[in-house]
Amino acid sequence: MVVLWLNEVGKDDVALVGGKGANLGELIRNEIPVPNGFIVDSRTFMEFLEATGIKYQIMDLLRIDVEDTNKLNEVSKKIRELIESSEMPEKIEEEIRKAYKKLCEEEGEEVFVAVRSSATAEDLPDASFAGQQETFLNVKGEDDVVENVKKCWSSLYTPRAIYYRVQKGFRHEDVSIAVVVQKMVNSEKSGVMFTSHPVTGEKLCIIEAVFGLGEAIVSGMVTPDTYTYDRVNRKLVDLKIGEKKKMLTRKDGKTVEVELGEKSFERVLSDEEIEQLVNFGEIIEEHYGHPQDVEWAIEKGKIYILQSRAVTTIREKKEEEAALEGGEIILKGLAASPGVGIGKVKVIMSEAEINKVEEGDILVTTMTTPDMVPAMKRAAAIVTDEGGMTCHAAIVSRELGVPAVVGTKEATKVLKDGMIVTVDGEKGVIYKGEVKEEKKVEVTPVASAPIITATEVKVNISIPDAAPRAAATGADGVGLFRIEHMVLGFEKHPMKYIKDGEMDKYIDMLYREMRKVVQAFYPKMVWIRTLDAPTDEFRAMEGGEDEPIEANPMLGFRGIRRDLIEHEHFRAEIRAIKKLVEEGYTNVGIMLPLVTHPDEVRRAKEIILEEGLSLSKIDFGVMVETPAAALVIEDIVKEGITFISFGTNDLTQYTLAVDRNNENVAYLYDEEHPAVFKLIERVIKICKEHGVKTSICGQAGSYPKFVEKLVEMGIDSVSANPDAVQLIKETVARTERRIMLERLRD
Ligand code: PEP
Ligand code: MG
């Protein structure tokens, strides 16, 4: 059989029809209205390869070193041409034509279809190849459908897909591809719906809606309406009308923009439509047993569900976050990422062992590295020997929403493989066995309106793939995009790419990763910090052998001083940012790390201008994280900056002469030391006089008491860790109200 209809398949058919096809089939089985369509299954592609005899030719061509980018591109091109120019066996072509004809008959007209690829691996139905193959929209007519099915097949061999499979250890011959051919809905209204709150998991359904096609939301072209529906009390509890200046619609097979004029501020959804959507959302959530992120559309008054995915941003359950009592404490450390994780201990001593960590295990190690991120995602909790609140394990766990306790000193000794433990990331303790909370207080969720504050509350990011989760916190932008963890996750040291003549490859990698963040937050501002690479951390990378051995890397070759000497990698970052700006992203800013002198700002600006990036279009600022910068801020401001951000992690260590990573002097490390506050106060005052915005992105920006003081001093924004955004929003709102009240009373 060549073709399967969507209503004939379900979750057990993933290997045959791909994740996308199986998911749509499941929805139909649950009476969810999905646009009509069929799937050219994965066996058909295999049959095509066999019948045309090109399989062995392809496998032969694939015997290359995928690191050789030119060769990879050349081979990919050859294979794709081979597939697209090979004649489709008559029987297969006939069936596809017949299916399309039937689809048109059922719809009463010749319809536009989307032709989407869905790669599959026979023995690994769960393998994720999402987003690697191509999709073709606005396809109409039998000939075009057949041709685009072939194009989807050939997209199994894009350079990216080939590279990915080799990296992940998949054999090319084990991977096939299914193609979903589905009627395109030319919607008058569309959008997305979270069936439950995407961060807290409360039964609040959040719907975003625009007129026309949903791509307008994804691209950030318009601000959608947002409806919040309380599923417990069955009523709409919040409604925000967005400014929808334009809509996208389909005309003669092309997507066109239409100005909406007065209609821009009209409400998109009626109460009845919201209720219908919520009902469908609830059926889907119940079926999958997990809150869903659903794409929907309305055409000629009829609702269609286009896609549904599990929401991955929800925090651990409320009751698990509550205090655990009565358990035997076996280890203590710093409470680095909130939540509670219970599971089996897996001690790993290096990246090579990450496969030991299975879904739901407790990852225990000396200190995590970027190569361990896949295992960190699978872990129920993370425990490390070393580290403070700003170490790799702490920052990444908070972004991934995985509970973590760091700096326990002896986790890898005390905890043994296979032990069951309970990790409380809120209190920084590890209990023996499974410890459940004793008394559970039933709390009825209360629908709360989003908190709006005059002082913006932003979020810190370091893992681009976690950006959508951070954006779901409702933060007002990204106050620090720390690119070091991302770059440490690349295969080679930045200077190695450059020495190997692969600057363009490096720029492209930077661009792709940065784009994920800028896109997730668009149009909210993202301040990208240029590389702050300490020699000790970058030495472990391939090509990092030449990093100088420094007695004190914290005072060494890092930050902007390094960027200006190894200016090639700095230029690569600027070129990646320039690409984003040229693509139309208006929400990009550049921030320089570890500035100590105005000359550094001047030279960095010169390089940026040499690279052809105009600073008039973007935010340009510096970190104030050295006493020097705080003391000469007047001169730095004169170099022409739009903002500064306090890096209190470094500002504290340099002001107090306390190494932030040294446990022996950790008791002296105090961000609230009066000397640190004096420097901060000075900088805010001078920046205000010069119209330069002030912000904070150090760890102290996640501490309510500290933030209260900054708001009193008149800071313009605060950037917190993802898990602290909500708390900091509340703190800021309360402080602002208190200040206003005090002024009124005066
Ligand atoms: C800081 O120093 O406060 C800061 C935010 O930078 P990092 O922690 O990356 O040094
Ligand atoms: Mg710093």
Side-chain angles (χ1 to χ4, degrees), residues 480 482 529 532 558 623 625 647-650 660 697-698:
L480 167 63
R482 245 191 202 103
R529 188 174 71 181
D532 180 3
R558 59 174 284 207
M623 297 277 293
E625 50 184 350
T648 41
N649 307 336
D650 280 324
R660 64 195 252 196
C697 59

Side-chain angles (χ1 to χ4, degrees), residues 116-381:
R116 301 176 196 274
S117 323
S118 187
T120 64
E122 177 111 47
D123 299 326
L124 293 160
D126 294 337
S128 169
F129 302 100
Q132 298 201 6
Q133 283 75 37
E134 290 172 0
T135 283
F136 301 91
L137 302 176
N138 301 321
V139 177
K140 193 175 181 181
E142 286 175 37
D143 292 346
D144 279 355
V145 170
V146 170
E147 192 181 316
N148 282 291
V149 167
K150 263 209 250 172
K151 282 194 189 159
C152 278
W153 285 347
S154 88
S155 74
L156 191 59
Y157 300 99
T158 60
R160 194 167 144 219
I162 299 172
Y163 186 86
Y164 177 86
R165 289 196 293 270
V166 172
Q167 284 292 306
K168 300 285 169 194
F170 289 109
R171 285 163 21 111
H172 295 298
E173 43 274 68
D174 291 343
V175 179
S176 184
I177 187 164
V179 180
V180 180
V181 179
Q182 194 182 20
K183 180 194 143 169
M184 284 189 78
V185 175
N186 197 10
S187 48
E188 53 262 13
K189 301 171 181 183
S190 59
V192 290
M193 156 169 68
F194 288 107
T195 58
S196 292
H197 193 288
V199 177
T200 63
E202 287 166 82
K203 292 207 177 305
L204 288 174
C205 182
I206 301 184
I207 304 174
E208 285 190 342
V210 291
F211 292 112
L213 303 175
E215 282 94 309
I217 299 188
V218 183
S219 68
M221 196 176 96
V222 297
T223 311
D225 288 1
T226 307
Y227 307 87
T228 307
Y229 185 92
D230 178 349
R231 286 172 47 196
V232 177
N233 297 308
R234 312 303 299 175
K235 62 176 185 200
L236 193 63
V237 287
D238 192 28
L239 157 63
K240 268 195 222 70
I241 307 287
E243 185 181 1
K244 306 161 293 288
K245 281 194 184 143
K246 299 173 190 167
M247 71 173 201
L248 293 177
T249 186
R250 210 168 3 262
K251 263 211 177 98
D252 305 326
K254 291 210 178 63
T255 304
V256 291
E257 282 183 23
V258 180
E259 295 287 337
L260 283 179
E262 280 180 9
K263 204 175 161 186
S264 302
F265 291 100
E266 266 178 34
R267 182 176 155 170
V268 177
L269 291 176
S270 66
D271 285 349
E272 201 190 335
E273 286 167 331
I274 292 170
E275 274 173 24
Q276 280 180 34
L277 277 169
V278 172
N279 282 342
F280 287 136
E282 287 180 320
I283 296 173
I284 304 172
E285 178 175 313
E286 189 166 323
H287 174 68
Y288 285 111
H290 193 87
Q292 300 285 305
D293 168 0
V294 176
E295 279 175 37
W296 56 268
I298 300 180
E299 186 190 52
K300 298 183 190 137
K302 178 172 161 53
I303 294 182
Y304 290 96
I305 300 299
L306 307 179
Q307 179 149 191
S308 174
R309 285 175 293 241
V311 177
T312 51
T313 56
I314 300 204
R315 276 204 249 144
E316 292 296 313
K317 285 189 212 91
K318 279 240 158 7
E319 52 267 31
E320 288 182 354
E321 280 178 12
L324 302 164
E325 274 156 25
E328 182 193 336
I329 295 176
I330 47 172
L331 199 59
K332 279 189 179 174
L334 290 173
S337 175
V340 172
I342 303 173
K344 208 189 268 177
V345 167
K346 293 283 171 70
V347 181
I348 61 170
M349 299 315 280
S350 77
E351 299 73 58
E353 295 182 307
I354 62 169
N355 287 341
K356 260 173 79 178
V357 181
E358 289 169 30
E359 195 73 38
D361 283 344
I362 307 291
L363 190 166
V364 178
T365 188
T366 322
M367 175 44 60
T368 57
T369 66
D371 289 331
M372 292 184 190
V373 171
M376 294 171 80
K377 287 185 188 160
R378 293 195 290 272

Side-chain angles (χ1 to χ4, degrees), residues 7 11 50 54 62 77 115 118 120 155 240 264 267 269 394 541 596 604 624 626 659 706 725:
N7 60 7
K11 64 177 185 313
E50 300 280 351
I54 59 177
L62 285 170
K77 193 161 170 256
V115 183
S118 187
T120 64
S155 74
K240 268 195 222 70
S264 302
R267 182 176 155 170
L269 291 176
M541 299 189 84
T596 55
V624 171
T626 63
D659 179 344
F706 200 96
V725 168

Side-chain angles (χ1 to χ4, degrees), residues 334-338 388-389 391 393-395 397-398 403-406 425-426 428 721 723:
L334 290 173
S337 175
M389 292 303 283
C391 69
I395 293 174
S397 309
R398 284 193 292 263
V405 177
V406 302
E426 194 92 38
N721 302 324
D723 62 284

